Amino acid sequence: MATVWAILAAGYVWLDAEGWIVAGLGAFTLPALWDILAGRRSALSLTTTEIHWTSGRHSQTVALDDLAHVRLDRHWDGSVRVRLVGRDGQTHLVPPDATPPHRDLETALHRAGVAVQRQPFSIF
């Protein structure tokens, strides 16, 4: 974030960029600044018995015995969404900010004995 602000400041000082343009572009960094100042954390942990994630003020734990499989959906923008599908059919969506790199997660899930399904592309 400091890099973005430095680039905006350099553009304002050396390139004579308009102040309202610099301020408008800088406004896009305010949500990230708020998350840093509020101390929000995002994490996902996988143990031999459960998977737990935390994202901001939300957290959830699901026992691995309750999972039918984990589904990795690739979207058209290239991102991968993680869905935990329970044996009862209930689906839990892991927030994107709490999702680790999908290849590492898939390897860890296989080691834990959890079935993983890959969906090459999903629109929604």
Side-chain angles (χ1 to χ4, degrees):
M1 186 163 28
T3 304
V4 172
W5 288 348
I7 291 169
L8 290 173
Y12 181 74
V13 172
W14 289 307
L15 300 176
D16 294 325
E18 288 290 329
W20 65 271
I21 293 175
V22 172
L25 292 173
F28 286 106
T29 66
L30 294 179
L33 178 63
W34 178 254
D35 285 345
I36 291 169
L37 294 176
R40 293 190 181 193
R41 303 269 184 232
S42 296
L44 183 136
S45 62
L46 177 65
T47 65
T48 56
T49 59
E50 64 187 18
I51 186 167
H52 174 80
W53 67 88
T54 303
S55 175
R57 289 180 267 163
H58 305 286
S59 65
Q60 190 166 8
T61 302
V62 177
L64 295 181
D65 293 336
D66 295 340
L67 290 178
H69 62 274
V70 174
R71 196 168 123 179
L72 303 176
D73 297 327
R74 180 172 299 278
H75 287 249
W76 288 104
D77 64 355
S79 64
V80 176
R81 303 288 195 265
V82 178
R83 294 183 189 276
L84 308 177
V85 180
R87 295 188 191 284
D88 59 357
Q90 188 176 11
T91 304
H92 304 278
L93 179 63
V94 178
D97 59 334
T99 304
H102 64 94
R103 288 186 180 99
D104 297 339
L105 178 61
E106 184 176 11
T107 302
L109 288 167
H110 281 301
R111 273 193 235 133
V114 178
V116 178
Q117 290 182 358
R118 289 184 145 274
Q119 299 295 322
F121 284 101
S122 174
I123 296 175
F124 300 106

